[in-house]
Amino acid sequence: MSRSEKLRQRAKELLASKEVAMVIGYCAGSKPGLSQPAFITRPEEAQRLIFDSTCSQNLANYLLKVKNSGKVAVVAKGCDSRSIVVLLQENQIQRENLYILGVGCDGVVQNGAKSVSCLACQYPNPVIYDEMIGDEVEKPAPDPIVAKNDKEFEQLSSAERWQVLSEDISRCIRCYACRQVCPNCYCPVCFVDASMPQLVGRTHNLSDNMAFHIIRALHMAGRCVECGACHRACPMGIDLMRLNRRVARIVRERFDSVAGVDINKPPALTQFNPADPQEFIK
Ligand code: SF4
Ligand code: SF4
């Protein structure tokens, strides 16, 4: 039985037994080679479910939107499961209202190529689940090109890094697709939408754009699971993962913390430890 078939069978059983009120998974998209999130509530609809390399959305993003729908089953790749852990740690969802159908992931594709976030993925299997659908997959070796690009960026002076970022960020049209698809970006009123006071200008000049991206990156520090959903959603092709990977690396090195991999370990920025490195405070 293929993985998609197993998934359909389990979704059908979970709905028929009323163990869950909804299964959040993927179904075929509107064009060949695309998939889209599916919200299945009747056993006979479970046959629409698929799982393959086109299933790129981070489904944890929908858990907050259906949190009053009763117990929900959700299909979770490695990165989706890490977002679920972050949401659980932040008390946004309750574990008892969740049934996690784990799936190993060999990387998702975008425009025919493996997504850049998957090239650097170290957690292709779910870190938390109720049952696995299919086998776990092998952890891929880190992609040498991504590692080389990151190293070259690190070796630039701060003025040169600013220049590189500025050229990229200046193209942002402030559509907020990156924010909307992020499962861990859930404030009821985002700082960019606040009007009393208005914290960030709403134009898409470089200064306002940079304020949006830097503040968002800081909000996501220790919480971003590097799923790449924001990067794939950006209509301007802005390299959001470069910023996300850098922030994640700094958190890893300074706080010995990786977002969403250990539900029992408090998130990096929720604790103060006098021994934390702080040589940058002058
Ligand atoms: S900021 Fe981007 S990469 Fe990080 S969790 Fe959100 S969508 Fe995923
Ligand atoms: S998705 Fe891209 S263009 Fe839209 S706000 Fe985010 S970075 Fe800017």
Side-chain angles (χ1 to χ4, degrees), residues 40-95:
I40 307 289
T41 54
R42 293 184 297 153
E44 59 271 27
E45 291 178 335
Q47 61 185 1
R48 292 173 52 215
L49 291 168
I50 60 167
F51 186 77
D52 59 28
S53 62
T54 66
C55 298
S56 61
Q57 296 88 353
N58 185 332
L59 297 182
N61 191 30
Y62 301 99
L63 293 176
L64 291 180
K65 297 174 179 71
V66 300
K67 70 177 181 182
N68 297 322
S69 304
K71 188 166 181 172
V72 165
V74 61
V75 176
K77 309 183 291 293
C79 49
D80 307 352
S81 75
R82 291 175 59 195
S83 294
I84 291 171
V85 168
V86 173
L87 291 173
L88 288 167
Q89 287 175 320
E90 296 177 352
N91 290 320
Q92 295 301 311
I93 52 176
Q94 302 303 315
R95 183 69 180 93

Short mmCIF file of all heavy atoms in Angstrom, two decimals, residues 40-95:
data_model
loop_
_atom_site.label_atom_id
_atom_site.label_comp_id
_atom_site.label_asym_id
_atom_site.label_seq_id
_atom_site.Cartn_x
_atom_site.Cartn_y
_atom_site.Cartn_z
N ILE A 40 -10.57 17.87 5.72
CA ILE A 40 -11.49 16.75 5.48
C ILE A 40 -12.32 16.50 6.74
O ILE A 40 -11.75 16.29 7.82
CB ILE A 40 -10.69 15.47 5.12
CG1 ILE A 40 -9.71 15.75 3.96
CG2 ILE A 40 -11.62 14.31 4.83
CD1 ILE A 40 -10.35 15.96 2.63
N THR A 41 -13.64 16.51 6.59
CA THR A 41 -14.50 16.29 7.76
C THR A 41 -15.40 15.06 7.61
O THR A 41 -16.04 14.66 8.57
CB THR A 41 -15.39 17.53 8.02
OG1 THR A 41 -16.10 17.84 6.82
CG2 THR A 41 -14.55 18.73 8.46
N ARG A 42 -15.49 14.48 6.41
CA ARG A 42 -16.34 13.30 6.23
C ARG A 42 -15.49 12.13 5.74
O ARG A 42 -14.59 12.33 4.89
CB ARG A 42 -17.44 13.60 5.21
CG ARG A 42 -18.44 14.64 5.74
CD ARG A 42 -19.58 14.87 4.78
NE ARG A 42 -19.09 15.40 3.52
CZ ARG A 42 -19.69 15.25 2.34
NH1 ARG A 42 -20.80 14.56 2.25
NH2 ARG A 42 -19.17 15.77 1.25
N PRO A 43 -15.73 10.92 6.25
CA PRO A 43 -14.89 9.77 5.88
C PRO A 43 -14.77 9.59 4.37
O PRO A 43 -13.69 9.28 3.85
CB PRO A 43 -15.60 8.57 6.53
CG PRO A 43 -16.42 9.14 7.63
CD PRO A 43 -16.78 10.54 7.23
N GLU A 44 -15.86 9.80 3.65
CA GLU A 44 -15.82 9.56 2.20
C GLU A 44 -14.95 10.58 1.45
O GLU A 44 -14.56 10.35 0.31
CB GLU A 44 -17.25 9.51 1.61
CG GLU A 44 -18.08 10.75 1.79
CD GLU A 44 -18.89 10.75 3.10
OE1 GLU A 44 -18.46 10.09 4.06
OE2 GLU A 44 -19.93 11.44 3.14
N GLU A 45 -14.64 11.70 2.11
CA GLU A 45 -13.76 12.70 1.46
C GLU A 45 -12.29 12.34 1.61
O GLU A 45 -11.43 12.96 0.97
CB GLU A 45 -13.96 14.07 2.11
CG GLU A 45 -15.29 14.73 1.85
CD GLU A 45 -15.39 16.06 2.57
OE1 GLU A 45 -14.71 16.25 3.58
OE2 GLU A 45 -16.16 16.89 2.10
N ALA A 46 -11.98 11.37 2.48
CA ALA A 46 -10.57 11.05 2.76
C ALA A 46 -9.83 10.59 1.51
O ALA A 46 -8.60 10.70 1.43
CB ALA A 46 -10.49 9.98 3.86
N GLN A 47 -10.56 10.11 0.52
CA GLN A 47 -9.91 9.64 -0.71
C GLN A 47 -9.24 10.78 -1.48
O GLN A 47 -8.45 10.53 -2.39
CB GLN A 47 -10.93 8.95 -1.61
CG GLN A 47 -12.06 9.86 -2.04
CD GLN A 47 -13.12 9.11 -2.83
OE1 GLN A 47 -13.01 7.92 -3.03
NE2 GLN A 47 -14.14 9.83 -3.28
N ARG A 48 -9.53 12.01 -1.13
CA ARG A 48 -8.89 13.16 -1.81
C ARG A 48 -7.44 13.37 -1.35
O ARG A 48 -6.68 14.08 -1.98
CB ARG A 48 -9.68 14.45 -1.54
CG ARG A 48 -11.06 14.47 -2.19
CD ARG A 48 -11.85 15.69 -1.73
NE ARG A 48 -11.11 16.92 -1.90
CZ ARG A 48 -11.17 17.97 -1.06
NH1 ARG A 48 -11.97 17.92 -0.02
NH2 ARG A 48 -10.47 19.04 -1.29
N LEU A 49 -7.09 12.78 -0.20
CA LEU A 49 -5.78 13.07 0.39
C LEU A 49 -4.63 12.48 -0.44
O LEU A 49 -4.73 11.39 -0.98
CB LEU A 49 -5.71 12.53 1.81
CG LEU A 49 -6.59 13.25 2.83
CD1 LEU A 49 -6.65 12.45 4.13
CD2 LEU A 49 -6.07 14.66 3.09
N ILE A 50 -3.55 13.25 -0.49
CA ILE A 50 -2.31 12.77 -1.14
C ILE A 50 -1.14 13.14 -0.24
O ILE A 50 -1.27 14.00 0.65
CB ILE A 50 -2.08 13.41 -2.54
CG1 ILE A 50 -1.96 14.96 -2.41
CG2 ILE A 50 -3.19 13.05 -3.51
CD1 ILE A 50 -1.43 15.61 -3.67
N PHE A 51 -0.01 12.49 -0.45
CA PHE A 51 1.24 13.02 0.11
C PHE A 51 2.38 12.71 -0.85
O PHE A 51 2.66 11.56 -1.16
CB PHE A 51 1.57 12.46 1.50
CG PHE A 51 2.78 13.15 2.05
CD1 PHE A 51 2.66 14.43 2.57
CD2 PHE A 51 4.04 12.58 1.98
CE1 PHE A 51 3.78 15.13 3.01
CE2 PHE A 51 5.17 13.27 2.42
CZ PHE A 51 5.03 14.54 2.94
N ASP A 52 3.01 13.78 -1.34
CA ASP A 52 4.18 13.63 -2.21
C ASP A 52 5.02 14.89 -2.10
O ASP A 52 4.78 15.75 -1.23
CB ASP A 52 3.75 13.34 -3.66
CG ASP A 52 2.86 14.45 -4.24
OD1 ASP A 52 2.99 15.62 -3.80
OD2 ASP A 52 2.05 14.17 -5.13
N SER A 53 6.00 15.02 -2.98
CA SER A 53 6.96 16.13 -2.85
C SER A 53 6.36 17.50 -3.19
O SER A 53 7.02 18.52 -3.02
CB SER A 53 8.18 15.88 -3.73
OG SER A 53 7.76 15.82 -5.08
N THR A 54 5.13 17.52 -3.68
CA THR A 54 4.49 18.83 -3.93
C THR A 54 3.83 19.38 -2.67
O THR A 54 3.36 20.51 -2.67
CB THR A 54 3.42 18.73 -5.04
OG1 THR A 54 2.33 17.91 -4.57
CG2 THR A 54 3.98 18.13 -6.33
N CYS A 55 3.79 18.57 -1.61
CA CYS A 55 3.05 18.97 -0.40
C CYS A 55 3.92 19.89 0.46
O CYS A 55 4.51 19.47 1.46
CB CYS A 55 2.61 17.73 0.37
SG CYS A 55 1.49 16.70 -0.60
N SER A 56 4.00 21.12 0.06
CA SER A 56 5.01 22.01 0.62
C SER A 56 4.51 22.91 1.75
O SER A 56 5.30 23.44 2.52
CB SER A 56 5.58 22.91 -0.49
OG SER A 56 4.55 23.70 -1.04
N GLN A 57 3.20 23.10 1.85
CA GLN A 57 2.71 24.03 2.88
C GLN A 57 2.97 23.46 4.27
O GLN A 57 2.91 22.25 4.47
CB GLN A 57 1.20 24.27 2.71
CG GLN A 57 0.81 24.94 1.42
CD GLN A 57 0.57 23.95 0.29
OE1 GLN A 57 0.82 22.75 0.42
NE2 GLN A 57 0.11 24.44 -0.84
N ASN A 58 3.24 24.33 5.22
CA ASN A 58 3.40 23.92 6.61
C ASN A 58 2.01 23.93 7.24
O ASN A 58 1.45 24.97 7.54
CB ASN A 58 4.35 24.89 7.34
CG ASN A 58 4.66 24.43 8.75
OD1 ASN A 58 3.86 23.75 9.37
ND2 ASN A 58 5.82 24.82 9.24
N LEU A 59 1.45 22.74 7.43
CA LEU A 59 0.05 22.64 7.85
C LEU A 59 -0.18 23.07 9.29
O LEU A 59 -1.33 23.29 9.69
CB LEU A 59 -0.46 21.20 7.65
CG LEU A 59 -0.48 20.72 6.19
CD1 LEU A 59 -1.04 19.30 6.12
CD2 LEU A 59 -1.30 21.64 5.30
N ALA A 60 0.89 23.21 10.06
CA ALA A 60 0.72 23.72 11.43
C ALA A 60 0.09 25.11 11.40
O ALA A 60 -0.54 25.55 12.36
CB ALA A 60 2.07 23.76 12.15
N ASN A 61 0.25 25.79 10.26
CA ASN A 61 -0.30 27.14 10.12
C ASN A 61 -1.82 27.18 10.32
O ASN A 61 -2.37 28.22 10.68
CB ASN A 61 0.05 27.68 8.72
CG ASN A 61 -0.23 29.15 8.58
OD1 ASN A 61 -0.16 29.90 9.55
ND2 ASN A 61 -0.57 29.58 7.38
N TYR A 62 -2.50 26.06 10.08
CA TYR A 62 -3.97 26.06 10.14
C TYR A 62 -4.51 25.64 11.50
O TYR A 62 -5.71 25.74 11.73
CB TYR A 62 -4.53 25.15 9.03
CG TYR A 62 -4.08 25.61 7.68
CD1 TYR A 62 -3.01 25.00 7.04
CD2 TYR A 62 -4.68 26.71 7.07
CE1 TYR A 62 -2.54 25.47 5.82
CE2 TYR A 62 -4.23 27.18 5.85
CZ TYR A 62 -3.16 26.56 5.24
OH TYR A 62 -2.70 27.04 4.05
N LEU A 63 -3.63 25.18 12.38
CA LEU A 63 -4.12 24.64 13.65
C LEU A 63 -4.79 25.71 14.52
O LEU A 63 -5.77 25.44 15.20
CB LEU A 63 -2.99 23.95 14.41
CG LEU A 63 -2.48 22.67 13.73
CD1 LEU A 63 -1.30 22.10 14.50
CD2 LEU A 63 -3.59 21.64 13.62
N LEU A 64 -4.25 26.93 14.49
CA LEU A 64 -4.86 27.99 15.29
C LEU A 64 -6.24 28.36 14.73
O LEU A 64 -7.13 28.74 15.48
CB LEU A 64 -3.97 29.22 15.32
CG LEU A 64 -2.67 29.07 16.12
CD1 LEU A 64 -1.88 30.36 16.08
CD2 LEU A 64 -2.97 28.68 17.53
N LYS A 65 -6.37 28.23 13.42
CA LYS A 65 -7.64 28.65 12.78
C LYS A 65 -8.76 27.65 13.07
O LYS A 65 -9.93 27.99 12.96
CB LYS A 65 -7.43 28.82 11.28
CG LYS A 65 -6.42 29.92 10.96
CD LYS A 65 -6.10 30.02 9.49
CE LYS A 65 -5.10 31.14 9.21
NZ LYS A 65 -3.74 30.88 9.67
N VAL A 66 -8.42 26.39 13.40
CA VAL A 66 -9.47 25.39 13.63
C VAL A 66 -9.47 24.93 15.09
O VAL A 66 -10.02 23.89 15.40
CB VAL A 66 -9.29 24.17 12.69
CG1 VAL A 66 -9.36 24.59 11.24
CG2 VAL A 66 -7.99 23.43 12.98
N LYS A 67 -8.89 25.74 15.96
CA LYS A 67 -8.69 25.22 17.31
C LYS A 67 -10.00 25.08 18.09
O LYS A 67 -10.02 24.44 19.13
CB LYS A 67 -7.66 26.03 18.09
CG LYS A 67 -8.04 27.40 18.51
CD LYS A 67 -6.89 27.96 19.33
CE LYS A 67 -7.19 29.34 19.81
NZ LYS A 67 -6.07 29.91 20.55
N ASN A 68 -11.10 25.64 17.57
CA ASN A 68 -12.39 25.43 18.23
C ASN A 68 -13.23 24.37 17.52
O ASN A 68 -14.44 24.29 17.71
CB ASN A 68 -13.16 26.76 18.31
CG ASN A 68 -12.42 27.76 19.16
OD1 ASN A 68 -11.82 27.40 20.18
ND2 ASN A 68 -12.40 29.02 18.74
N SER A 69 -12.58 23.56 16.68
CA SER A 69 -13.33 22.56 15.89
C SER A 69 -13.31 21.18 16.52
O SER A 69 -13.69 20.20 15.89
CB SER A 69 -12.73 22.45 14.48
OG SER A 69 -12.71 23.69 13.85
N GLY A 70 -12.82 21.07 17.75
CA GLY A 70 -12.70 19.76 18.37
C GLY A 70 -11.34 19.16 18.06
O GLY A 70 -10.43 19.85 17.59
N LYS A 71 -11.21 17.86 18.29
CA LYS A 71 -9.91 17.22 18.06
C LYS A 71 -9.65 17.10 16.56
O LYS A 71 -10.53 16.69 15.80
CB LYS A 71 -9.90 15.83 18.72
CG LYS A 71 -8.53 15.17 18.69
CD LYS A 71 -8.48 13.99 19.64
CE LYS A 71 -7.11 13.36 19.61
NZ LYS A 71 -6.94 12.33 20.63
N VAL A 72 -8.45 17.46 16.17
CA VAL A 72 -8.10 17.53 14.75
C VAL A 72 -6.87 16.66 14.49
O VAL A 72 -5.93 16.66 15.30
CB VAL A 72 -7.80 19.01 14.38
CG1 VAL A 72 -7.10 19.12 13.05
CG2 VAL A 72 -9.09 19.83 14.37
N ALA A 73 -6.90 15.91 13.39
CA ALA A 73 -5.69 15.19 12.95
C ALA A 73 -4.97 16.06 11.93
O ALA A 73 -5.62 16.74 11.13
CB ALA A 73 -6.06 13.85 12.35
N VAL A 74 -3.66 16.04 11.98
CA VAL A 74 -2.90 16.85 11.03
C VAL A 74 -1.72 16.03 10.49
O VAL A 74 -1.08 15.29 11.24
CB VAL A 74 -2.41 18.17 11.69
CG1 VAL A 74 -1.50 17.92 12.88
CG2 VAL A 74 -1.74 19.08 10.68
N VAL A 75 -1.49 16.16 9.20
CA VAL A 75 -0.35 15.51 8.57
C VAL A 75 0.88 16.39 8.82
O VAL A 75 0.84 17.60 8.57
CB VAL A 75 -0.58 15.34 7.05
CG1 VAL A 75 0.65 14.77 6.36
CG2 VAL A 75 -1.80 14.46 6.80
N ALA A 76 1.94 15.79 9.35
CA ALA A 76 3.10 16.61 9.74
C ALA A 76 4.41 16.02 9.23
O ALA A 76 4.78 14.90 9.58
CB ALA A 76 3.15 16.75 11.26
N LYS A 77 5.10 16.79 8.40
CA LYS A 77 6.48 16.50 8.03
C LYS A 77 7.37 16.93 9.21
O LYS A 77 6.87 17.47 10.20
CB LYS A 77 6.87 17.29 6.77
CG LYS A 77 5.89 17.16 5.61
CD LYS A 77 6.35 17.90 4.37
CE LYS A 77 6.35 19.43 4.47
NZ LYS A 77 5.02 20.04 4.59
N GLY A 78 8.68 16.79 9.05
CA GLY A 78 9.58 17.20 10.13
C GLY A 78 9.39 18.65 10.54
O GLY A 78 9.21 18.97 11.72
N CYS A 79 9.39 19.56 9.54
CA CYS A 79 9.30 20.98 9.88
C CYS A 79 7.91 21.34 10.43
O CYS A 79 7.80 22.13 11.37
CB CYS A 79 9.66 21.85 8.68
SG CYS A 79 8.82 21.40 7.16
N ASP A 80 6.87 20.71 9.88
CA ASP A 80 5.52 20.97 10.40
C ASP A 80 5.46 20.57 11.88
O ASP A 80 4.87 21.26 12.71
CB ASP A 80 4.46 20.17 9.65
CG ASP A 80 4.49 20.35 8.14
OD1 ASP A 80 5.23 21.21 7.66
OD2 ASP A 80 3.77 19.64 7.45
N SER A 81 6.06 19.40 12.18
CA SER A 81 6.00 18.91 13.57
C SER A 81 6.76 19.85 14.50
O SER A 81 6.37 20.06 15.65
CB SER A 81 6.57 17.49 13.66
OG SER A 81 7.98 17.49 13.56
N ARG A 82 7.85 20.44 14.02
CA ARG A 82 8.60 21.39 14.86
C ARG A 82 7.75 22.65 15.11
O ARG A 82 7.78 23.21 16.22
CB ARG A 82 9.92 21.76 14.20
CG ARG A 82 10.91 20.60 14.17
CD ARG A 82 12.16 20.96 13.40
NE ARG A 82 12.85 22.10 13.97
CZ ARG A 82 13.80 22.79 13.34
NH1 ARG A 82 14.16 22.45 12.11
NH2 ARG A 82 14.38 23.81 13.92
N SER A 83 7.00 23.08 14.11
CA SER A 83 6.10 24.24 14.34
C SER A 83 5.03 23.88 15.36
O SER A 83 4.64 24.72 16.18
CB SER A 83 5.43 24.66 13.03
OG SER A 83 6.38 25.15 12.13
N ILE A 84 4.55 22.63 15.30
CA ILE A 84 3.55 22.19 16.28
C ILE A 84 4.14 22.25 17.68
O ILE A 84 3.50 22.71 18.63
CB ILE A 84 3.05 20.76 15.93
CG1 ILE A 84 2.22 20.80 14.66
CG2 ILE A 84 2.25 20.17 17.08
CD1 ILE A 84 1.85 19.42 14.10
N VAL A 85 5.39 21.80 17.81
CA VAL A 85 6.05 21.85 19.13
C VAL A 85 6.13 23.30 19.63
O VAL A 85 5.83 23.59 20.80
CB VAL A 85 7.46 21.21 19.07
CG1 VAL A 85 8.27 21.51 20.32
CG2 VAL A 85 7.33 19.69 18.89
N VAL A 86 6.50 24.21 18.75
CA VAL A 86 6.58 25.63 19.15
C VAL A 86 5.20 26.12 19.61
O VAL A 86 5.06 26.78 20.65
CB VAL A 86 7.14 26.51 18.01
CG1 VAL A 86 7.06 27.99 18.39
CG2 VAL A 86 8.58 26.12 17.69
N LEU A 87 4.15 25.77 18.85
CA LEU A 87 2.79 26.21 19.23
C LEU A 87 2.36 25.59 20.57
O LEU A 87 1.71 26.25 21.38
CB LEU A 87 1.79 25.83 18.13
CG LEU A 87 1.91 26.58 16.81
CD1 LEU A 87 0.98 25.99 15.75
CD2 LEU A 87 1.62 28.07 16.99
N LEU A 88 2.75 24.35 20.81
CA LEU A 88 2.43 23.71 22.10
C LEU A 88 3.20 24.40 23.23
O LEU A 88 2.64 24.70 24.29
CB LEU A 88 2.80 22.22 22.06
CG LEU A 88 1.88 21.32 21.20
CD1 LEU A 88 2.52 19.95 21.00
CD2 LEU A 88 0.51 21.17 21.86
N GLN A 89 4.48 24.68 22.99
CA GLN A 89 5.29 25.33 24.03
C GLN A 89 4.76 26.72 24.36
O GLN A 89 4.88 27.19 25.49
CB GLN A 89 6.75 25.43 23.57
CG GLN A 89 7.48 24.09 23.57
CD GLN A 89 8.87 24.20 23.00
OE1 GLN A 89 9.11 24.90 22.01
NE2 GLN A 89 9.82 23.51 23.62
N GLU A 90 4.16 27.35 23.36
CA GLU A 90 3.65 28.70 23.57
C GLU A 90 2.16 28.70 23.98
O GLU A 90 1.51 29.75 23.99
CB GLU A 90 3.88 29.54 22.30
CG GLU A 90 5.38 29.71 22.02
CD GLU A 90 5.70 30.46 20.73
OE1 GLU A 90 4.78 30.73 19.95
OE2 GLU A 90 6.89 30.76 20.54
N ASN A 91 1.67 27.50 24.32
CA ASN A 91 0.28 27.34 24.80
C ASN A 91 -0.76 27.87 23.82
O ASN A 91 -1.81 28.38 24.22
CB ASN A 91 0.09 28.03 26.15
CG ASN A 91 0.83 27.30 27.24
OD1 ASN A 91 0.85 26.07 27.26
ND2 ASN A 91 1.46 28.05 28.14
N GLN A 92 -0.48 27.74 22.52
CA GLN A 92 -1.44 28.19 21.52
C GLN A 92 -2.41 27.07 21.13
O GLN A 92 -3.50 27.34 20.62
CB GLN A 92 -0.71 28.69 20.27
CG GLN A 92 0.12 29.92 20.51
CD GLN A 92 -0.72 31.07 21.04
OE1 GLN A 92 -1.77 31.39 20.48
NE2 GLN A 92 -0.27 31.68 22.12
N ILE A 93 -1.98 25.83 21.31
CA ILE A 93 -2.84 24.68 21.02
C ILE A 93 -2.66 23.66 22.16
O ILE A 93 -1.68 23.74 22.91
CB ILE A 93 -2.49 24.02 19.66
CG1 ILE A 93 -0.97 23.72 19.59
CG2 ILE A 93 -2.91 24.89 18.50
CD1 ILE A 93 -0.57 22.98 18.32
N GLN A 94 -3.61 22.75 22.25
CA GLN A 94 -3.54 21.74 23.31
C GLN A 94 -3.24 20.37 22.69
O GLN A 94 -3.87 19.99 21.70
CB GLN A 94 -4.89 21.68 24.05
CG GLN A 94 -5.33 23.00 24.67
CD GLN A 94 -4.28 23.55 25.64
OE1 GLN A 94 -3.75 22.81 26.46
NE2 GLN A 94 -4.00 24.84 25.52
N ARG A 95 -2.30 19.68 23.30
CA ARG A 95 -1.89 18.37 22.74
C ARG A 95 -3.05 17.39 22.66
O ARG A 95 -3.16 16.61 21.70
CB ARG A 95 -0.76 17.78 23.61
CG ARG A 95 -0.20 16.45 23.11
CD ARG A 95 0.57 16.66 21.82
NE ARG A 95 1.13 15.44 21.29
CZ ARG A 95 0.54 14.65 20.38
NH1 ARG A 95 -0.66 14.96 19.92
NH2 ARG A 95 1.13 13.57 19.93
#
